[in-house]
Amino acid sequence: MAAQSLLSESVIGWSIFTVVLLVILAFCWIYIRKFQSRQDSEVVSTITAICALAIALITSALLPVDIFLVSYMKYPNGTYKQWAANNETRGQIEATVLYGYYTLYSIILFCVFLWIPFVYFYYEEKDDNNVNKCSQVKNALKYTVGFVLVCVALLLIGAFVPLEAPPGQNSTQWEKVQYLFEELGSRHGLSALSFSISSLTLIGMLAVITYTAYGMSVMPLNLIKGTRSVAYERLENTEDIDEVEHQIENLKSKCKDGRPLSSKDRRNLQELEGKLQVLQRRGRHLDIAESHCCSKVGSALRPVKIILGVFFILVALLFTISLFISNLDKALHSAGISYGFIIFGTNLTNPLNELLLALQPVFPLDYILITVITVYFVLTSMAGIRNMGIWFFWIRLYKIRPKRTRPQALLFLCMILLLIVLHTSYMIYSLAPQYVMYGSQKYLAQAPSTDPVLGNTTVSTTKICDADAPEDECTVTRTYLFLHKFWFFSTIYYFGNWAFIGAFLIGLVVSCCRGKKSVIEGEVEADDSDLSDDEYVH
């Protein structure tokens, strides 16, 4: 009977995970194909981008399965279910989830430090027609070696940096070396992998502060404000064309008598001709947009967009408020900076944490909510990247536009989104720390009786699992172990949350001050070629 119950619970959890897996793969394929350039496409880079994004989302989808398994080991009254009463059985379940994380995180390291860099440099070498296939592979591998060395360095640091006190100064060199290898073997590589993933999550935190915080404000406000009128934009564009043509005619009239134009006039003429080409291309795109059925459907769905915009801005405010309360709770009740501001429960009422705890017993509602949160982070991150582009400090590397994104930009896009999704695991922990650590687990605590009839006896009371619970009564999720193996990363994440809140508020003010965007926003740029218009005409 216990074996059948265990099998039933496992089948439910992993069946839902499989369904979500298929949905994730379909979403990634549609997402990448939407932004992929039709003329400058590459099969290898497309497959790489789809797989990398899918792996990141699948890793996040494993989080609610982890929480579900540790939560369903117990009844609501705090006692273990029959199939989970054995410590060995619970250990097997925890090991299954742990191996799942090992596998997915190892694949992420492989993507970030080997697969994606190799495909990126291979495609960069392909631009040179004089390079053959062997030279492409050789040059791509040469540049990829640097990423591999960084990965090896991170794994070694994580594996050999001890978390406990090392042997004393009087110990021999052999004892010290033996201690390091014992530490490595006793943790089965958990620290090595955790350190590497935490390092990537740290980069993802910077991407979240830069792109996601801005996208959380710009996406809903764009839905609420809508776009400018196509007819008004066409009229305005026609007037600009007439004005530029008039200026060009005035400049050309200066050389009718055979006299050459001055260098200043030649530069002005060249700039005006370039501006005229952009305006003419803009006019063609506006004509297409006006006649396209999507414009008419978009106008009909205007009320729905406003409702979605209001909903998304409320969700963004909910996340920001929950994150602020969580950070305030850490500032007031944690052990401080030297312990990574870690808390093992909630001392202040956190709305999102309470919502997840309420939904968790009715599986898969919490699974759906976390999946929605992850997808919401991806969509808002994409909105931020699309509006800002991919930057390296002050240098703009790539633009992200529907049907016009280069293969290299797609690889950068998925690398950024992969790192962002990695950081969402810590973001969810920050929003709902108790839920991520213990789920809905409860335990029985012995407390002195307050009934005078019973005298000096103890009674069992049900309590929510926290740091004060006995170790064998509450099971910590494997996610928590990966995220908080090193206290200094938790400290950086804590201050990163404050930076995220500040970036969101700044982005909200900037988005509110901006006017409506153009109906062909991002389709026409001065550095685009005329040939790229074919992607929209056909």
Side-chain angles (χ1 to χ4, degrees):
M1 186 65 182
Q4 291 179 351
S5 299
L6 174 60
L7 179 62
S8 176
E9 300 291 351
S10 299
V11 167
I12 292 175
W14 289 109
S15 297
I16 299 298
F17 180 76
T18 304
V19 173
V20 174
L21 171 62
L22 297 177
V23 173
I24 285 174
L25 290 175
F27 170 79
C28 292
W29 185 83
I30 296 172
Y31 202 69
I32 297 300
R33 292 290 294 175
K34 176 184 177 182
F35 288 93
Q36 182 186 40
S37 173
R38 293 182 180 178
Q39 290 185 338
D40 191 20
S41 61
E42 175 67 23
V43 176
V44 176
S45 63
T46 302
I47 295 175
T48 301
I50 293 173
C51 293
L53 183 58
I55 289 167
L57 294 177
I58 291 169
T59 304
S60 295
L62 193 59
L63 170 62
V65 172
D66 185 8
I67 298 171
F68 166 73
L69 291 175
V70 298
S71 298
Y72 268 66
M73 291 180 183
K74 287 194 162 189
Y75 290 110
N77 62 3
T79 59
Y80 280 108
K81 294 181 180 180
Q82 185 178 0
W83 58 266
N86 190 346
N87 288 333
E88 183 178 353
T89 304
R90 296 199 300 270
Q92 292 176 354
I93 296 175
E94 295 168 15
T96 301
V97 178
L98 185 62
Y99 293 145
Y101 275 113
Y102 270 133
T103 303
L104 289 172
Y105 281 159
S106 298
I107 294 174
I108 288 175
L109 291 179
F110 172 76
C111 290
V112 172
F113 292 107
L114 183 60
W115 188 8
I116 294 179
F118 174 78
V119 174
Y120 176 85
F121 292 119
Y122 178 83
Y123 192 79
E124 283 288 303
E125 293 295 323
K126 189 177 180 180
D127 292 341
D128 189 353
N129 296 326
N130 298 324
V131 178
N132 55 36
K133 293 290 183 182
C134 294
S135 298
Q136 285 180 240
V137 174
K138 181 180 178 181
N139 293 334
L141 287 174
K142 179 176 64 176
Y143 295 125
T144 307
V145 168
F147 289 85
V148 176
L149 292 178
V150 172
C151 180
V152 172
L154 291 176
L155 289 173
L156 290 176
I157 292 173
F160 288 100
V161 171
L163 298 180
E164 297 177 358
Q169 296 292 333
N170 297 329
S171 302
T172 64
Q173 291 296 327
W174 167 249
E175 290 176 341
K176 294 179 181 179
V177 173
Q178 185 180 19
Y179 166 76
L180 288 176
F181 278 98
E182 288 177 353
E183 280 287 301
L184 176 63
S186 64
R187 288 175 283 168
H188 306 288
L190 176 62
S191 295
L193 195 57
S194 179
F195 187 88
S196 302
I197 293 297
S198 296
S199 301
L200 294 181
T201 305
L202 192 62
I203 303 175
M205 180 193 74
L206 300 178
V208 166
I209 295 171
T210 304
Y211 295 113
T212 309
Y214 179 64
M216 284 176 61
S217 61
V218 71
M219 187 181 77
L221 288 178
N222 282 343
L223 289 173
I224 294 172
K225 290 187 292 187
T227 58
R228 300 172 63 191
S229 169
V230 181
Y232 178 78
E233 283 198 73
R234 286 189 61 198
L235 177 61
E236 188 180 61
N237 190 75
T238 302
E239 293 176 351
D240 291 340
I241 290 177
D242 293 339
E243 182 181 352
V244 172
E245 287 179 342
H246 180 68
Q247 293 176 1
I248 291 175
E249 290 177 0
N250 289 338
L251 284 175
K252 288 182 177 181
S253 64
K254 294 182 179 181
C255 59
K256 284 185 178 180
D257 55 356
R259 290 182 302 172
L261 292 174
S262 64
S263 59
K264 179 180 179 182
D265 288 338
R266 287 198 300 269
R267 285 195 302 269
N268 291 337
L269 180 61
Q270 187 177 4
E271 291 177 0
L272 289 172
E273 288 176 345
K275 184 177 180 181
L276 180 61
Q277 290 180 356
V278 173
L279 291 173
Q280 289 173 344
R281 292 178 55 240
R282 182 178 175 84
R284 293 196 296 269
H285 281 252
L286 288 171
D287 292 338
I288 296 172
E290 188 175 26
S291 60
H292 207 282
C293 61
C294 292
S295 299
K296 300 176 182 179
V297 174
S299 300
L301 295 178
R302 183 81 187 101
V304 178
K305 291 183 178 180
I306 294 175
I307 294 173
L308 284 176
V310 173
F311 172 75
F312 285 144
I313 198 66
L314 291 177
V315 171
L317 292 174
L318 173 64
F319 285 173
T320 306
I321 293 172
S322 299
L323 191 61
F324 175 79
I325 293 175
S326 177
N327 261 26
L328 184 62
D329 194 4
K330 292 178 181 179
L332 296 176
H333 302 103
S334 69
I337 188 171
S338 58
Y339 293 91
F341 293 98
I342 296 176
I343 55 175
F344 300 95
T346 54
N347 301 286
L348 302 177
T349 302
N350 189 319
L352 192 58
N353 187 77
E354 298 298 326
L355 178 61
L356 285 168
L357 288 176
L359 294 179
Q360 203 281 333
V362 190
F363 189 82
L365 291 183
D366 66 319
Y367 191 96
I368 294 173
L369 180 58
I370 287 189
T371 303
V372 169
I373 291 173
T374 303
V375 173
Y376 176 79
F377 270 109
V378 172
L379 292 177
T380 53
S381 301
M382 188 62 239
I385 296 172
R386 182 181 175 185
N387 280 269
M388 298 177 62
I390 298 176
W391 293 75
F392 182 75
F393 293 103
W394 59 87
I395 302 174
R396 188 175 189 176
L397 300 179
Y398 297 105
K399 303 171 186 175
I400 306 297
R401 292 178 290 175
K403 303 178 184 178
R404 310 184 72 178
T405 306
R406 298 184 62 191
Q408 297 98 319
L410 277 178
L411 294 173
F412 261 103
L413 166 67
C414 289
M415 177 80 80
I416 294 173
L417 291 179
L418 188 148
L419 297 174
I420 286 175
V421 172
L422 275 180
H423 188 66
T424 57
S425 297
Y426 184 82
M427 290 288 289
I428 295 174
Y429 166 76
S430 299
L431 295 171
Q434 186 173 355
Y435 171 80
V436 172
M437 281 189 65
Y438 299 108
S440 61
Q441 292 182 86
K442 297 180 180 179
Y443 71 99
L444 294 176
Q446 301 297 324
S449 174
T450 57
D451 190 346
V453 178
L454 298 177
N456 295 327
T457 59
T458 59
V459 294
S460 298
T461 58
T462 303
K463 291 186 178 181
I464 298 176
C465 284
D466 54 20
D468 298 328
E471 185 176 353
D472 59 342
E473 288 292 333
C474 295
T475 305
V476 179
T477 59
R478 304 301 95 179
T479 302
Y480 177 82
L481 297 180
F482 269 106
L483 290 176
H484 303 91
K485 194 69 175 178
F486 300 92
W487 65 268
F488 43 85
F489 281 116
S490 298
T491 301
I492 299 174
Y493 298 154
Y494 168 79
F495 290 107
N497 286 342
W498 288 115
F500 175 85
I501 295 173
F504 168 75
L505 296 177
I506 293 173
L508 187 63
V509 173
V510 172
S511 300
C512 289
C513 295
R514 286 186 173 179
K516 295 182 178 180
K517 67 176 184 177
S518 171
V519 70
I520 56 170
E521 182 77 21
E523 294 183 11
V524 180
E525 299 287 347
D527 55 353
D528 291 334
S529 64
D530 292 333
L531 294 176
S532 62
D533 284 345
D534 296 337
E535 299 183 0
Y536 288 90
V537 175
H538 299 294

